[in-house]
Amino acid sequence: MNKGKYYITTAIAYTSGKPHIGNTYEAVLADSIARFKRQEGYEVFFQTGTDEHGQKIELKSAEQGISPKEFVDQVSGTIREIWDLMGTSYDKFIRTTDREHEKQVQKIFRKLYEQGDIYKDSYEGMYCTPCESFWTESQLVDGKCPDCGREVKPAREEAYFFRMSKYADRLIEHINTHPEFIQPVSRKNEMMNNFLLPGLQDLCVSRSSFKWGVPVDFDDKHVVYVWLDALTNYITGIGYDCASESSSQYKKFWPADLHLIGKDIIRFHTIYWPIFLMALNEPLPKQIFGHPWLLQGDGKMSKSKGNVLYADTLVDFFGVDAVRYFVLHEMPFENDGVITWELMVERLNSDLANTLGNLVNRTISMSNKYFNGVVEDKGAFEPVDDDLKAVVTGARDKVSAKMDELRVADAITEIFTVFKRCNKYIDETEPWVLAKDDAKKGRLATVLYNLVEGICTGACLLESFMPDTSKKILDQLNAKERAIDDLHQFGLYASGTKVTEKPEILFARLDMKEVLAKVEEIMPAPAEEAETQEPVIEIEKKQEITFEDFEKMQFQVGEIIACEEVKKSKKLLCSKVKIGNEVKQIVSGIKQHYTAAEMVGKKVMVLVNLKPAVLAGVLSEGMLLCAEDENGELSLMIPEKKMPAGAEIC
């Protein structure tokens, strides 16, 4: 049944270099949503692609002695190869160097100029080349770019500007009346409090200091600046035309049902992009989801740290579906996830090899051993069957509910609940014991039938997340893929079907030491890191206190449930911290070390009974504990093990 259209996009990947696993996660996440929507009966259009203009590309290509087009052709090709490797089922891969896209960008720029939304002026400020962004002195953090932390340089150039403030009130109203528009809610709060409510500045939308971009067709000194070029791909890719009639495809699929993007570019998608659409008199996308980052165990991936992980490297170790499973299942809905080699091995061995792979293997093996592979329902029911059937038939609706909320990790957990329940059912029914009694052959056959039926349902639900594994399971069981509308039923597996004689090992267990040894061979630690010792930090000693003095201080674990910048300060963040059943407001001078979005969801150590004080006009009711290194870098102190909010620190 066709439930209507569903248009989903990823952010287009920037062609400055090979994408790491954190970038690849977004494509896999979007693919899992697109596949599930198709499974539910939607006509899906899934678009991804590459962002290929800008000064950074011009500089990188010059360093290599090739043209910018040759450079982006190579990198875009690499990105597409990785997306294909990971099984992303996109319907269109757009490039911003596509001629049709460039033509439409020129038309859009001209239309906005002619209607007075774009005007010509000059820009002076501090410029960050990697981010391709101008900043005022007040926006810098320690004199550096507030987005990436790199050096900025003073720059002045003639430019065209977009009148952002003209549409700000209309966008604020839209966000307030459409609570689903920006997800998660913490991202919405950040955009409203940090950008929209304080007031928008006009946006620079052209550059004249470099040439690698879409030319402004009525002013050849200028090229269209990155965001007006890149963001419009979501409509140009499906046939938008502002100068004549748009395509039937555009009319069918726009507005987008979901823009899936990284939290670091949420501002551009939830402020700039909707305002551009308003100026074009086009509908706004229905929802924008700013997903968290996938971090290495020692922090955000970067080439300078030498900790970058690439999808193809991980696939060589673990296989495509294992990598898909890990990045989808281990990424929280709102907070950053962590990927390490150790965690990958642990998950493969426990979840994939043991819970899933061993279940399928021993079920098929027992069917072959006891019934020559023929699986029959003999109707030998016992009460223990009821709970298994309830878990299996209830899984579809639970998975669908989680996917409706974009809680993909939780949806996968629901599917693995089916597999875990099947394993428990084996322990409860003990088929090897039933096999010793000829009088219980009917019961043994029914037990194996119930297991195969449960596995089939789980495998069908798994298709969106681990498509190859799903197919392998169904092929070994000689079962057909089922429509999602049928997955609430138990007993659809044709009685008398014969399973494969030799079950394939879906996931082989890996030895942790062997994996880590191979990792060291292909990813040796940077020499300077291996040789560098931690610095000895000396601090001024304070006066000794008595135990009675210490007892006066109350330390507890708190969970940050909301955070925003203090408007009157360059250093302060204001956090809402849940401590047991109480929520305290705590102001901390850590704005230069953490963004408000990064704070949300962290478990922190709190001095709870500090006398309240007013900082920059904001009440503070406690103190967050931090460590400080020799460079003045701060790090929040967090519990080593999982602890509930309110746990006493003693």
Side-chain angles (χ1 to χ4, degrees), residues 356-366 476 503-506:
L356 176 56
N358 191 41
L359 168 67
V360 174
N361 188 278
R362 62 177 175 165
T363 298
I364 293 174
S365 296
M366 287 189 291
Q476 291 188 69
E504 177 186 353
I505 301 297
L506 295 175

Side-chain angles (χ1 to χ4, degrees), residues 378-565:
K378 295 292 188 179
F381 167 81
E382 288 190 6
V384 71
D385 301 346
D386 284 337
D387 188 63
L388 171 72
K389 293 179 180 180
V391 171
V392 172
T393 57
R396 181 201 65 176
D397 290 347
K398 291 180 179 179
V399 171
S400 292
K402 296 300 184 185
M403 291 300 289
D404 286 344
E405 298 175 348
L406 304 180
R407 295 184 177 271
V408 176
D410 295 337
I412 296 174
T413 296
E414 294 292 350
I415 298 170
F416 271 73
T417 296
V418 172
F419 299 135
K420 289 177 180 178
R421 186 63 189 85
C422 288
N423 280 312
K424 182 181 178 183
Y425 183 72
I426 292 175
D427 295 336
E428 291 169 337
T429 56
E430 298 181 316
W432 53 90
V433 175
L434 295 174
K436 296 177 181 178
D437 188 345
D438 286 341
K440 294 183 178 180
K441 284 288 187 180
R443 175 58 185 162
L444 175 59
T446 299
V447 164
L448 292 175
Y449 177 88
N450 289 343
L451 284 169
V452 169
E453 175 67 1
I455 293 169
C456 281
T457 296
C460 289
L461 288 170
L462 196 62
E463 192 278 333
S464 300
F465 316 101
M466 302 172 67
D468 291 344
T469 301
S470 172
K471 186 178 186 305
K472 286 179 182 179
I473 294 171
L474 294 176
D475 286 348
Q476 291 188 69
L477 297 176
N478 198 16
K480 296 180 181 179
E481 185 177 343
R482 301 176 189 175
I484 198 166
D485 289 342
D486 296 332
L487 293 181
H488 68 295
Q489 301 179 58
F490 195 94
L492 297 182
Y493 186 77
S495 182
T497 301
K498 189 171 184 178
V499 299
T500 186
E501 292 182 7
K502 296 181 179 180
E504 177 186 353
I505 301 297
L506 295 175
F507 299 96
R509 291 180 62 85
L510 298 176
D511 182 89
M512 182 77 76
K513 291 182 179 179
E514 290 181 4
V515 170
L516 295 181
K518 290 179 182 178
V519 169
E520 285 189 10
E521 291 178 9
I522 65 169
M523 298 181 67
E528 63 270 18
E529 287 189 11
E531 296 170 1
T532 301
Q533 295 182 346
E534 287 192 2
V536 177
I537 300 176
E538 296 184 1
I539 61 173
E540 182 181 348
K541 293 184 178 180
K542 297 183 179 180
Q543 182 180 350
E544 288 184 349
I545 63 171
T546 66
F547 185 73
E548 287 75 18
D549 292 329
F550 177 77
E551 274 196 316
K552 293 177 183 178
M553 294 183 283
Q554 181 179 348
F555 298 96
Q556 288 178 265
V557 174
E559 180 179 2
I560 300 176
I561 58 176
C563 185
E564 61 185 30
E565 296 182 358

Side-chain angles (χ1 to χ4, degrees), residues 52-192:
E52 303 183 15
H53 293 125
Q55 186 176 24
K56 190 192 298 187
I57 302 298
E58 191 171 83
L59 294 172
K60 280 181 170 286
S61 62
E63 289 173 3
Q64 295 190 14
I66 58 177
S67 71
K69 186 62 166 63
E70 289 174 312
F71 181 86
V72 296
D73 283 348
Q74 293 174 8
V75 179
S76 181
T78 298
I79 292 170
R80 189 165 188 166
E81 287 173 2
I82 292 175
W83 276 207
D84 291 342
L85 170 68
M86 296 308 299
T88 53
S89 57
Y90 53 82
D91 297 286
K92 183 176 179 68
F93 190 97
I94 189 171
R95 298 179 58 184
T96 57
T97 53
D98 290 343
R99 182 62 191 134
E100 188 56 37
H101 171 77
E102 291 185 336
K103 284 170 55 180
Q104 292 304 323
V105 169
Q106 290 177 320
K107 290 181 182 181
I108 289 169
F109 194 96
R110 177 182 286 272
K111 175 181 174 67
L112 296 176
Y113 175 75
E114 290 177 348
Q115 68 188 34
D117 287 315
I118 289 178
Y119 63 93
K120 193 173 186 178
D121 204 335
S122 60
Y123 201 104
E124 187 168 3
M126 306 305 293
Y127 185 68
C128 175
T129 299
C131 292
E132 300 193 20
S133 296
F134 273 104
W135 304 99
T136 63
E137 289 284 356
S138 63
Q139 290 174 315
L140 301 179
V141 176
D142 288 338
K144 297 181 180 179
C145 173
D147 274 358
C148 72
R150 294 184 177 93
E151 297 292 336
V152 293
K153 296 181 179 180
R156 186 181 190 279
E157 65 178 271
E158 181 184 84
Y160 286 90
F161 293 82
F162 186 96
R163 301 183 194 276
M164 301 297 289
S165 57
K166 176 179 175 181
Y167 298 93
D169 289 344
R170 184 173 157 190
L171 178 56
I172 290 170
E173 180 184 3
H174 182 83
I175 293 172
N176 285 333
T177 55
H178 296 79
E180 75 289 348
F181 181 59
I182 303 175
Q183 292 294 319
V185 174
S186 60
R187 312 273 190 258
K188 180 192 79 170
N189 294 338
E190 181 186 357
M191 294 303 103
M192 290 288 280

